[in-house]
Amino acid sequence: MTYDSTASSLTGTTDPAILDELLAIRSSIDNIDATLVYLLAERFKCTQKVGQLKARHNLPPSDPEREKAQITRLHELSRDADLDPAFAEKFLNFIIEEVIRHHKAISQEQR
């Protein structure tokens, strides 16, 4: 399946000039989404290395103090970026849960 950047249920029911403006803004969103995917992939490559290091040295898969510090830092960054800190924290917690799951799997594999 090929991605259609012009797909919209508004086609044919919305003024073409407005639709063009909407599609231009959505194009920017698409670029940001692609960047986020690649950034997340890079982040997970790094956390995989952390998981391997932890497994080799029998370290726990999670580090609550690190996680707490990250959330504090993320709140500061969010406020600076005019992003809702609660949303940013939910997003980071989702990532942290996935990282811990990966670390546990790596640890199991190396046993």
Side-chain angles (χ1 to χ4, degrees):
M1 178 182 236
T2 304
Y3 173 68
D4 179 4
S5 63
T6 63
S8 174
S9 15
L10 302 174
T11 303
T13 62
T14 304
D15 180 311
I18 294 171
L19 193 55
D20 286 346
E21 184 177 356
L22 180 64
L23 292 175
I25 297 167
R26 285 179 174 173
S27 176
S28 293
I29 292 169
D30 290 350
N31 290 336
I32 294 165
D33 288 346
T35 301
L36 285 171
V37 167
Y38 283 98
L39 285 172
L40 282 170
E42 285 302 310
R43 189 186 195 287
F44 276 97
K45 287 175 188 172
C46 291
T47 60
Q48 290 291 95
K49 290 178 184 176
V50 168
Q52 291 165 359
L53 180 66
K54 285 180 172 183
R56 279 196 310 272
H57 297 283
N58 297 315
L59 300 173
S62 67
D63 185 343
E65 285 300 313
R66 162 77 174 159
E67 294 158 22
K68 183 179 170 186
Q70 278 184 293
I71 289 169
T72 299
R73 178 176 178 261
L74 195 69
H75 278 224
E76 293 170 9
L77 291 170
S78 298
R79 283 189 290 274
D80 290 345
D82 200 25
L83 179 69
D84 178 11
F87 169 77
E89 183 175 343
K90 287 178 192 175
F91 183 71
L92 181 63
N93 282 331
F94 175 76
I95 292 171
I96 289 170
E97 286 175 27
E98 189 67 11
V99 167
I100 292 169
R101 188 180 70 76
H102 288 186
H103 288 184
K104 288 178 179 177
I106 291 169
S107 182
Q108 289 285 54
E109 290 171 6
Q110 293 196 9
R111 283 186 191 160

